[in-house]
Short mmCIF file of all heavy atoms in Angstrom, two decimals:
data_model
loop_
_atom_site.label_atom_id
_atom_site.label_comp_id
_atom_site.label_asym_id
_atom_site.label_seq_id
_atom_site.Cartn_x
_atom_site.Cartn_y
_atom_site.Cartn_z
N ASN A 194 10.62 -30.83 -24.72
CA ASN A 194 11.36 -29.84 -23.94
C ASN A 194 11.64 -28.60 -24.77
O ASN A 194 11.40 -28.59 -25.99
CB ASN A 194 12.65 -30.45 -23.37
CG ASN A 194 13.48 -31.13 -24.44
OD1 ASN A 194 13.75 -30.51 -25.48
ND2 ASN A 194 13.84 -32.38 -24.22
N GLY A 195 12.10 -27.57 -24.11
CA GLY A 195 12.35 -26.32 -24.81
C GLY A 195 13.39 -25.49 -24.09
O GLY A 195 13.65 -25.70 -22.90
N SER A 196 13.99 -24.56 -24.83
CA SER A 196 14.92 -23.64 -24.18
C SER A 196 14.95 -22.31 -24.92
O SER A 196 14.64 -22.23 -26.11
CB SER A 196 16.32 -24.24 -24.11
OG SER A 196 16.94 -24.18 -25.37
N VAL A 197 15.27 -21.28 -24.19
CA VAL A 197 15.45 -19.94 -24.77
C VAL A 197 16.78 -19.42 -24.24
O VAL A 197 17.02 -19.46 -23.03
CB VAL A 197 14.32 -18.98 -24.34
CG1 VAL A 197 14.54 -17.59 -24.96
CG2 VAL A 197 12.96 -19.52 -24.73
N THR A 198 17.64 -18.95 -25.14
CA THR A 198 18.92 -18.37 -24.71
C THR A 198 18.94 -16.89 -25.04
O THR A 198 18.57 -16.48 -26.15
CB THR A 198 20.09 -19.08 -25.42
OG1 THR A 198 20.00 -20.48 -25.15
CG2 THR A 198 21.42 -18.57 -24.90
N LEU A 199 19.33 -16.10 -24.07
CA LEU A 199 19.45 -14.65 -24.26
C LEU A 199 20.91 -14.26 -24.26
O LEU A 199 21.69 -14.76 -23.45
CB LEU A 199 18.76 -13.90 -23.13
CG LEU A 199 17.27 -14.09 -22.94
CD1 LEU A 199 16.84 -13.30 -21.69
CD2 LEU A 199 16.51 -13.61 -24.15
N ARG A 200 21.25 -13.37 -25.17
CA ARG A 200 22.62 -12.85 -25.18
C ARG A 200 22.55 -11.34 -24.99
O ARG A 200 21.55 -10.71 -25.31
CB ARG A 200 23.31 -13.18 -26.49
CG ARG A 200 23.48 -14.67 -26.68
CD ARG A 200 24.70 -15.03 -27.51
NE ARG A 200 24.92 -16.47 -27.40
CZ ARG A 200 24.32 -17.37 -28.19
NH1 ARG A 200 23.47 -16.97 -29.11
NH2 ARG A 200 24.57 -18.65 -28.04
N GLN A 201 23.63 -10.80 -24.49
CA GLN A 201 23.76 -9.36 -24.33
C GLN A 201 23.43 -8.68 -25.66
O GLN A 201 23.84 -9.16 -26.72
CB GLN A 201 25.22 -9.06 -23.95
CG GLN A 201 25.53 -7.60 -23.77
CD GLN A 201 25.64 -7.23 -22.32
OE1 GLN A 201 25.61 -8.07 -21.44
NE2 GLN A 201 25.76 -5.95 -22.06
N HIS A 202 22.65 -7.59 -25.59
CA HIS A 202 22.21 -6.96 -26.83
C HIS A 202 22.03 -5.48 -26.56
O HIS A 202 21.38 -5.09 -25.60
CB HIS A 202 20.89 -7.62 -27.26
CG HIS A 202 20.14 -6.89 -28.32
ND1 HIS A 202 20.43 -7.02 -29.64
CD2 HIS A 202 19.13 -5.98 -28.24
CE1 HIS A 202 19.61 -6.25 -30.34
NE2 HIS A 202 18.82 -5.61 -29.52
N THR A 203 22.63 -4.66 -27.42
CA THR A 203 22.47 -3.22 -27.26
C THR A 203 21.80 -2.65 -28.50
O THR A 203 22.29 -2.81 -29.60
CB THR A 203 23.85 -2.54 -27.05
OG1 THR A 203 24.53 -3.21 -26.01
CG2 THR A 203 23.68 -1.08 -26.68
N ASN A 204 20.65 -2.03 -28.28
CA ASN A 204 19.92 -1.39 -29.37
C ASN A 204 20.11 0.13 -29.20
O ASN A 204 19.53 0.73 -28.31
CB ASN A 204 18.44 -1.79 -29.29
CG ASN A 204 17.64 -1.28 -30.46
OD1 ASN A 204 17.92 -0.22 -31.00
ND2 ASN A 204 16.65 -2.06 -30.87
N VAL A 205 20.94 0.68 -30.06
CA VAL A 205 21.29 2.10 -29.90
C VAL A 205 20.06 2.99 -30.07
O VAL A 205 19.90 4.00 -29.39
CB VAL A 205 22.38 2.50 -30.93
CG1 VAL A 205 22.85 3.92 -30.69
CG2 VAL A 205 23.56 1.54 -30.84
N GLU A 206 19.16 2.58 -30.97
CA GLU A 206 18.00 3.42 -31.26
C GLU A 206 16.88 3.24 -30.23
O GLU A 206 16.06 4.13 -30.03
CB GLU A 206 17.46 3.11 -32.66
CG GLU A 206 18.20 3.90 -33.71
CD GLU A 206 18.10 3.28 -35.08
OE1 GLU A 206 17.06 2.68 -35.39
OE2 GLU A 206 19.08 3.37 -35.83
N ASN A 207 16.83 2.09 -29.59
CA ASN A 207 15.77 1.84 -28.63
C ASN A 207 16.31 1.12 -27.41
O ASN A 207 16.36 -0.11 -27.35
CB ASN A 207 14.66 1.01 -29.31
CG ASN A 207 13.40 1.00 -28.49
OD1 ASN A 207 13.37 1.52 -27.37
ND2 ASN A 207 12.36 0.39 -29.01
N GLU A 208 16.71 1.94 -26.43
CA GLU A 208 17.36 1.40 -25.22
C GLU A 208 16.48 0.39 -24.48
O GLU A 208 16.99 -0.51 -23.83
CB GLU A 208 17.66 2.55 -24.26
CG GLU A 208 19.09 2.99 -24.26
CD GLU A 208 19.34 4.06 -23.22
OE1 GLU A 208 18.86 3.89 -22.08
OE2 GLU A 208 19.97 5.08 -23.55
N LYS A 209 15.16 0.56 -24.62
CA LYS A 209 14.23 -0.31 -23.90
C LYS A 209 14.37 -1.76 -24.34
O LYS A 209 13.94 -2.67 -23.65
CB LYS A 209 12.79 0.15 -24.13
CG LYS A 209 12.47 1.45 -23.41
CD LYS A 209 11.01 1.84 -23.59
CE LYS A 209 10.79 2.46 -24.95
NZ LYS A 209 9.48 3.10 -25.10
N GLU A 210 14.93 -1.95 -25.53
CA GLU A 210 15.09 -3.31 -26.07
C GLU A 210 16.38 -3.98 -25.63
O GLU A 210 16.63 -5.14 -25.94
CB GLU A 210 15.05 -3.27 -27.62
CG GLU A 210 13.73 -2.79 -28.19
CD GLU A 210 12.57 -3.69 -27.80
OE1 GLU A 210 12.72 -4.92 -27.87
OE2 GLU A 210 11.51 -3.15 -27.39
N ASN A 211 17.21 -3.24 -24.89
CA ASN A 211 18.52 -3.78 -24.49
C ASN A 211 18.41 -4.99 -23.59
O ASN A 211 17.50 -5.09 -22.76
CB ASN A 211 19.32 -2.71 -23.74
CG ASN A 211 19.86 -1.64 -24.67
OD1 ASN A 211 19.61 -1.69 -25.88
ND2 ASN A 211 20.56 -0.69 -24.12
N ILE A 212 19.34 -5.91 -23.76
CA ILE A 212 19.51 -6.99 -22.79
C ILE A 212 20.91 -6.82 -22.21
O ILE A 212 21.90 -6.86 -22.92
CB ILE A 212 19.36 -8.38 -23.45
CG1 ILE A 212 17.95 -8.53 -24.03
CG2 ILE A 212 19.66 -9.49 -22.44
CD1 ILE A 212 17.72 -9.84 -24.78
N GLU A 213 20.95 -6.56 -20.90
CA GLU A 213 22.25 -6.37 -20.25
C GLU A 213 22.47 -7.52 -19.28
O GLU A 213 21.59 -7.85 -18.48
CB GLU A 213 22.25 -5.04 -19.45
CG GLU A 213 22.15 -3.81 -20.33
CD GLU A 213 21.86 -2.55 -19.52
OE1 GLU A 213 22.33 -2.45 -18.36
OE2 GLU A 213 21.15 -1.69 -20.04
N ILE A 214 23.63 -8.12 -19.37
CA ILE A 214 23.94 -9.25 -18.50
C ILE A 214 25.24 -8.96 -17.75
O ILE A 214 26.26 -8.65 -18.36
CB ILE A 214 24.10 -10.55 -19.33
CG1 ILE A 214 22.80 -10.87 -20.08
CG2 ILE A 214 24.49 -11.73 -18.42
CD1 ILE A 214 22.91 -11.99 -21.09
N GLU A 215 25.15 -9.02 -16.43
CA GLU A 215 26.37 -8.91 -15.61
C GLU A 215 26.55 -10.24 -14.92
O GLU A 215 25.62 -10.74 -14.27
CB GLU A 215 26.20 -7.84 -14.53
CG GLU A 215 26.36 -6.41 -15.02
CD GLU A 215 26.02 -5.43 -13.89
OE1 GLU A 215 26.46 -5.65 -12.75
OE2 GLU A 215 25.28 -4.49 -14.18
N LEU A 216 27.74 -10.80 -15.04
CA LEU A 216 27.96 -12.14 -14.49
C LEU A 216 29.29 -12.18 -13.75
O LEU A 216 30.32 -11.83 -14.32
CB LEU A 216 27.97 -13.15 -15.65
CG LEU A 216 28.13 -14.62 -15.31
CD1 LEU A 216 26.85 -15.18 -14.72
CD2 LEU A 216 28.52 -15.41 -16.54
N SER A 217 29.25 -12.59 -12.50
CA SER A 217 30.52 -12.75 -11.79
C SER A 217 30.89 -14.22 -11.64
O SER A 217 32.05 -14.56 -11.53
CB SER A 217 30.47 -12.05 -10.42
OG SER A 217 29.45 -12.60 -9.63
N GLU A 218 29.88 -15.09 -11.62
CA GLU A 218 30.17 -16.52 -11.65
C GLU A 218 28.97 -17.27 -12.22
O GLU A 218 27.85 -16.77 -12.17
CB GLU A 218 30.54 -17.04 -10.25
CG GLU A 218 29.46 -16.83 -9.22
CD GLU A 218 29.82 -17.47 -7.87
OE1 GLU A 218 30.24 -18.64 -7.87
OE2 GLU A 218 29.67 -16.80 -6.84
N PRO A 219 29.19 -18.47 -12.78
CA PRO A 219 28.09 -19.20 -13.38
C PRO A 219 27.03 -19.58 -12.34
O PRO A 219 27.38 -19.86 -11.18
CB PRO A 219 28.74 -20.47 -13.95
CG PRO A 219 30.20 -20.19 -13.96
CD PRO A 219 30.47 -19.20 -12.90
N VAL A 220 25.78 -19.58 -12.76
CA VAL A 220 24.66 -19.90 -11.88
C VAL A 220 23.73 -20.87 -12.60
O VAL A 220 23.53 -20.73 -13.81
CB VAL A 220 23.84 -18.63 -11.54
CG1 VAL A 220 22.75 -18.94 -10.52
CG2 VAL A 220 24.70 -17.51 -11.03
N ALA A 221 23.17 -21.81 -11.87
CA ALA A 221 22.09 -22.64 -12.42
C ALA A 221 21.10 -22.93 -11.32
O ALA A 221 21.47 -23.43 -10.25
CB ALA A 221 22.66 -23.94 -12.98
N LEU A 222 19.86 -22.54 -11.54
CA LEU A 222 18.82 -22.69 -10.51
C LEU A 222 17.50 -23.07 -11.17
O LEU A 222 17.25 -22.68 -12.32
CB LEU A 222 18.62 -21.39 -9.76
CG LEU A 222 19.63 -20.99 -8.69
CD1 LEU A 222 19.48 -19.52 -8.35
CD2 LEU A 222 19.46 -21.84 -7.44
N THR A 223 16.67 -23.80 -10.42
CA THR A 223 15.36 -24.20 -10.95
C THR A 223 14.24 -23.52 -10.16
O THR A 223 14.31 -23.42 -8.94
CB THR A 223 15.22 -25.74 -10.87
OG1 THR A 223 16.29 -26.32 -11.63
CG2 THR A 223 13.89 -26.21 -11.43
#
Side-chain angles (χ1 to χ4, degrees):
Chain A
N194 52 51
S196 75
V197 180
T198 304
L199 298 177
R200 296 210 169 85
Q201 179 104 7
H202 167 83
T203 308
N204 186 327
V205 185
E206 275 158 33
N207 193 354
E208 259 183 46
K209 288 183 282 191
E210 297 299 316
N211 286 1
I212 297 177
E213 294 168 33
I214 299 171
E215 281 174 44
L216 182 75
S217 60
E218 59 175 313
V220 185
L222 282 164
T223 301

